[in-house]
Amino acid sequence: MASDRKERLTLRNRAMVARKYYWEEIMRRRPDDVTVILAEHEFFVDERTIQNALMENADFYTDLCRRKVTARQLQKMFPTWKF
């Protein structure tokens, strides 16, 4: 459980990157479509916020891609999301 605003934002951004990975790499959606899904349907943030989160968590995204994480593994990492 996050105790302060900064920690909550860090957790949100990590979840956002995981969702981006899910939509692009597992569901094979186009990156521009994924940005719209995340911005308008899942996190309700500006597209720039999504890009900033990806830049801050580029290593996490790269690791997910390198390990070819499955939807089942993502579900274990983020149990409140449906992957």
Side-chain angles (χ1 to χ4, degrees), residues 42-57:
E42 292 190 352
F43 290 94
F44 310 103
V45 296
D46 291 333
E47 292 179 10
R48 184 65 194 163
T49 302
I50 295 165
Q51 296 305 319
N52 288 341
L54 187 58
M55 287 172 32
E56 291 172 10
N57 292 283

Side-chain angles (χ1 to χ4, degrees), residues 7-20:
E7 190 174 347
R8 286 191 304 271
L9 288 174
T10 300
L11 293 172
R12 181 207 61 190
N13 289 348
R14 194 167 169 89
M16 196 180 306
V17 170
R19 292 298 291 176
K20 182 172 178 60

Side-chain angles (χ1 to χ4, degrees), residues 26-40:
I26 296 174
M27 300 305 291
R28 308 304 293 166
R29 299 291 292 265
R30 291 184 359 197
D32 56 326
D33 291 340
V34 171
T35 300
V36 171
I37 290 168
L38 296 176
E40 296 181 8

Side-chain angles (χ1 to χ4, degrees), residues 27 29 52 63 65 68 71 74 81:
M27 300 305 291
R29 299 291 292 265
N52 288 341
D63 184 56
C65 293
K68 298 184 186 206
L74 287 172
W81 286 93

